[in-house]
Amino acid sequence: MTNKEKYIEYLNNSSIYNNTPIFLLPDFLNIVAEDWEVVLVEENSQLKAVLPYAIKGNLLTKRIYLPLLSFYQSFLLYDVNEETAIINQLFAQLPKTVKSYFKLLPQYHLVDLNALAYKQENYCTYIINKNIELYSIRKNHQRNIKKAINNNLVIEAAQNVNTAFDVIKQTFSRQNTTLDVDAEQFNQLVSWTRTTQRGEIWNCKDQNHQIHASVLLLKDATTTYYILGGYNDEFKNSGAKTFLLWTLIQQSIVKGKIFNFCGSTKKSIANYFEGFNATPTPISIWKKQLL
């Protein structure tokens, strides 16, 4: 069997599958990645570690990349003994590419890949891992939440995914950036998350059924991830985005899950996340470039 086939077979165990971070699951990678492969370390037919990775291009353009709809691209150790040796075995199996990009799971923040010729980039995500009350978040967030409530805004799962997708795209347009995901791929991901109960797209709407804000969440056994979100320019002052996120955070905490905002390098966005009383949490990005 190929490494990919071995990995998929290994995940046939429902307990292992359910406890694997969503970004490392084959079904997820099939949707978000142009192509993906996996390297693994095994001993006596037992997996000791795996490293699934997204890959695209060919010859001089071949690179390991992080798909936009993903957040972590990381190995997973099943054997914590001989950690350094196992990690070296994993990375030694990777193909030669012009660029490589890995964003490690939080538990591997202290892992050092410098000896493997990777360069580290420090990065923070923003996490809420305990119950928080309305009074504990920033005053501006409190005002926006109360404004949305007073305007009788309601929150519900999106019925028309394309309409919600259009609202999210507005945010990228305002920032003069392109959302490198098409509606078909977005719909595939939402359909899969709904079928497997691993995520949902939510809307905040008014009494006239006009969408003010939309958010895409992903979920695994431990965590709820905020992947994409946006608001309608026509209702930018309605408080909808903050009200929507606040409600979804509460739902996540009630279910015993961490809420992960999935970071940002933009100070204004990071400040917005921290306004929910989210804690900055360091994670490591490791890059390699041959040229």
Side-chain angles (χ1 to χ4, degrees):
M1 288 192 294
T2 65
N3 282 351
K4 186 184 283 191
E5 289 169 339
K6 288 180 181 178
Y7 181 52
I8 292 171
E9 183 178 81
Y10 182 68
L11 292 177
N12 283 337
N13 182 308
S14 59
S15 176
I16 296 173
Y17 184 93
N18 291 334
N19 285 289
T20 298
I22 187 170
F23 307 108
L24 279 64
L25 291 175
D27 294 341
F28 175 80
L29 290 166
N30 285 338
I31 296 170
V32 303
E34 188 169 307
D35 192 12
W36 69 277
E37 292 294 339
V38 60
V39 291
L40 50 86
V41 175
E42 58 183 334
E43 186 176 285
N44 299 324
S45 300
Q46 294 294 315
L47 281 189
K48 302 181 75 173
V50 297
L51 173 55
Y53 59 94
I55 192 164
K56 63 181 176 180
N58 52 65
L59 297 177
L60 296 179
T61 65
K62 194 172 187 179
R63 59 198 182 275
I64 296 171
Y65 75 107
L66 182 71
L68 178 64
L69 291 172
S70 191
F71 183 60
Y72 294 112
Q73 180 155 253
S74 175
F75 53 79
L76 194 60
L77 298 177
Y78 301 113
D79 184 350
V80 296
N81 298 313
E82 302 178 353
E83 178 182 280
T84 301
I86 292 174
I87 292 170
N88 286 341
Q89 288 181 60
L90 280 174
F91 280 83
Q93 298 176 61
L94 290 171
K96 290 185 178 180
T97 56
V98 293
K99 292 182 180 180
S100 297
Y101 183 106
F102 295 97
K103 187 185 288 181
L104 303 187
L105 291 162
Q107 61 263 40
Y108 306 127
H109 173 58
L110 297 180
V111 167
D112 190 340
L113 301 182
N114 280 296
L116 301 176
Y118 285 83
K119 301 293 185 182
Q120 185 178 23
E121 180 179 304
N122 292 320
Y123 192 83
C124 267
T125 189
Y126 299 85
I127 286 176
I128 298 173
N129 56 18
K130 60 181 180 180
N131 191 39
I132 53 174
E133 303 295 337
L134 183 61
Y135 66 80
S136 68
I137 67 177
R138 288 184 185 160
K139 296 294 184 184
N140 188 56
H141 282 17
Q142 293 181 39
R143 285 193 291 270
N144 280 323
I145 291 167
K146 291 176 181 177
K147 185 190 299 184
I149 292 172
N150 290 335
N151 287 332
N152 296 314
L153 299 187
V154 296
I155 293 169
E156 61 181 34
Q159 300 300 312
N160 187 323
V161 176
N162 288 329
T163 303
F165 182 59
D166 288 340
V167 171
I168 291 173
K169 285 197 297 185
Q170 287 186 30
T171 297
F172 286 79
S173 297
R174 282 193 300 272
Q175 298 171 352
N176 295 316
T177 58
T178 302
L179 180 58
D180 192 22
V181 175
D182 60 29
E184 181 180 357
Q185 186 184 31
F186 190 83
N187 271 273
Q188 283 182 333
L189 181 60
V190 173
S191 177
W192 176 74
T193 59
R194 286 175 168 173
T195 301
T196 59
Q197 297 185 328
R198 291 186 175 272
E200 185 60 272
I201 184 163
W202 295 89
N203 288 334
C204 185
K205 303 169 67 173
D206 60 28
Q207 299 301 305
N208 296 318
H209 305 290
Q210 298 178 101
I211 299 175
H212 288 224
S214 298
V215 162
L216 172 65
L217 299 181
L218 298 179
K219 297 184 294 184
D220 57 29
T222 64
T223 307
T224 300
Y225 304 93
Y226 168 54
I227 298 299
L228 289 174
Y231 61 84
N232 190 325
D233 282 329
E234 294 181 31
F235 309 109
K236 62 182 180 180
N237 296 317
S238 70
K241 177 74 175 298
T242 303
F243 177 50
L244 178 54
L245 280 171
W246 171 250
T247 302
L248 298 174
I249 289 167
Q250 296 301 307
Q251 290 179 2
S252 177
I253 297 301
V254 166
K255 294 177 181 178
K257 295 182 185 290
I258 294 168
F259 192 93
N260 188 336
F261 278 105
C262 294
S264 178
T265 56
K266 293 188 176 181
K267 188 175 181 179
S268 60
I269 297 175
N271 184 62
Y272 179 72
F273 294 160
E274 289 183 309
F276 287 98
N277 206 11
T279 302
T281 304
I283 55 177
S284 292
I285 293 173
W286 291 93
K287 297 179 179 180
K288 182 190 282 189
Q289 187 165 338
L290 296 184
L291 301 179

